[in-house]
Amino acid sequence: MRAMQIAQINHIRLMRYAGLFTYVSAGMPLLRYESLVNELIADQRPLWHLSAWVICYAAFGVVFWLLLLKLGSRRFVPLKLALLVVLVTLAVAIGWYSQSGLSAMLLVVQSMLLPWLMPLRVALICMVAQNYVLVPVFASNPGWTIGDAILQSSLYLGISALVFFTSLIAKQQGEAREEQRRLNSELRATRALLAESSRIAERLRIARELHDLVGHHLTALSLNLEVASHLVQQPAQEHVRKAQSVAKLLLGDVREVVSQMRDDDRIDLTQALNTLIEGVPQLDIRLELPPRFGVDDPHRAQVLLRCAQEIITNTVRHSGARSLWLRFEQKDGEIAIHARDDGRGSDNLRPGNGLAGMRERLAQFGGRLDITTARDRGFTLDAWLPLETTA
């Protein structure tokens, strides 16, 4: 039970609270307000330095909280990078006004954000650079040399590296967990489709058996009873004719059952598609299906499921969207898939293997694919799959 509770901890929330706790701890010296005023007077420094320190510290907390709220989101990356620059500037200002190492502590807190907002190599460079930006701040302290300032920055760089890689591991584990959930939902959706295909195949087998065996024997029985009705005398003839009527009724019932079983041989895709979207918690998927949505051909059913999987995968990995609208429509002898998201889009779309594979699957059955996207306008995809093979 305890292991299960640990596994259910939200890593992003835990990182958020840990960062806020460290930020609050870095502001503890401000509780000694009167002592700080006396120190400023003793050092012959302006009293407004203390006010500037408080303002910068509060502003750092606000900006830091805004970035934590969107931790893990792929949206508004340029704005987030600009806020990171603001954080570094505020931390350096705090170090300048406080003449202490509090700025380095705040940069340690800020280093946890870097793996979430930029590529690993760039994030490492930024972590090193922001720590050594403090060298002039440390060197401005009375009695400090440039060498002392570099050593002090190197010390805090080591602490920042620990926080940085801890945050990086948490990010990678979170992404792996989400990917595992998504793949598990795809597996369950495929299993549901296979179960539905097996059910249809079994129904067809039973229908054939009823038609070929039971129907054949009942037909033979009815013919034999017809012959017998002309050979026997009363009162046996009356019983033979009744048996003949029962045989004809049974034959009619078997044919009706066989017809019903063949009429209901469409593969229902509703359960498979609903199962598919359950494993994507970070994306709000709004699925719209026609009533009794199904197809006769299991190969076409698989193509539709794979197209839905690819649309969801691309949205999660590349779009940075919060919502995905996925609609299936069946009319005029074909099934249409309409998908759109509210992601960042792109002016220079280069289709990868996933979209190329989707286009190839549709083309095998005479289908087609249309993609529309633009920067900051999301991604729109329309696909059409004929229900019958086109010439």
Side-chain angles (χ1 to χ4, degrees), residues 209 214 248 311:
E209 294 293 330
V214 180
K248 289 182 178 180
I311 290 170

Side-chain angles (χ1 to χ4, degrees), residues 141-376:
N141 294 334
W144 284 65
T145 65
I146 292 294
D148 295 333
I150 293 175
L151 289 176
Q152 188 75 357
S153 296
S154 300
L155 172 64
Y156 283 108
L157 176 60
I159 303 174
S160 296
L162 176 62
V163 175
F164 178 91
F165 286 107
T166 301
S167 180
L168 177 63
I169 292 172
K171 175 178 177 290
Q172 292 176 341
Q173 287 185 343
E175 291 176 346
R177 183 182 303 175
E178 296 299 333
E179 182 71 7
Q180 184 180 24
R181 292 182 62 177
R182 187 184 62 79
L183 292 176
N184 183 55
S185 68
E186 291 184 2
L187 178 62
R188 290 189 292 114
T190 303
R191 185 175 61 184
L193 183 61
L194 290 174
E196 182 69 10
S197 300
S198 299
R199 182 185 70 83
I200 297 301
E202 184 65 15
R203 288 174 64 90
L204 289 176
R205 186 190 68 80
I206 295 173
R208 294 192 189 101
E209 294 293 330
L210 287 174
H211 180 270
D212 296 340
L213 297 179
V214 180
H216 172 74
H217 292 317
L218 285 175
T219 300
L221 176 62
S222 180
L223 292 174
N224 283 304
L225 288 174
E226 177 69 24
V227 173
S229 67
H230 296 292
L231 297 178
V232 300
Q233 303 295 326
Q234 294 289 347
Q237 187 179 42
E238 180 179 355
H239 292 287
V240 171
R241 291 192 179 278
K242 288 182 178 179
Q244 184 183 9
S245 298
V246 172
K248 289 182 178 180
L249 288 174
L250 286 174
L251 182 59
D253 291 340
V254 168
R255 288 173 176 171
E256 183 179 356
V257 170
V258 170
S259 298
Q260 290 177 352
M261 295 182 71
R262 288 187 176 275
D263 291 339
D264 192 25
D265 61 352
R266 296 170 61 84
I267 299 176
D268 187 7
L269 285 166
T270 303
Q271 180 182 356
L273 290 172
N274 284 323
T275 302
L276 182 64
I277 67 175
E278 290 175 358
V280 194
Q282 73 272 33
L283 182 65
D284 179 21
I285 303 177
R286 304 178 186 182
L287 179 64
E288 183 179 343
L289 300 174
R292 292 183 57 82
F293 179 50
V295 294
D296 298 327
D297 183 7
H299 298 292
R300 283 176 167 81
Q302 185 179 24
V303 168
L304 292 172
L305 183 64
R306 292 292 178 264
C307 287
Q309 288 178 350
E310 186 60 35
I311 290 170
I312 294 173
T313 300
N314 282 342
T315 304
V316 170
R317 290 181 177 176
H318 307 299
S319 71
R322 290 174 295 183
S323 300
L324 170 66
W325 291 264
L326 186 58
R327 178 166 60 92
F328 288 79
E329 189 177 29
Q330 187 171 345
K331 64 178 182 179
D332 300 331
E334 64 180 8
I335 293 179
I337 306 175
H338 305 290
R340 65 181 180 88
D341 61 46
D342 59 353
R344 54 179 171 264
S346 175
D347 289 330
N348 299 310
L349 177 65
R350 290 181 295 179
N353 294 329
L355 291 176
M358 186 190 307
R359 195 182 297 274
E360 291 170 358
R361 288 192 182 97
L362 292 169
Q364 288 178 354
F365 298 94
R368 60 195 188 279
L369 181 66
D370 184 26
I371 299 173
T372 304
T373 183
R375 186 174 181 82
D376 298 327

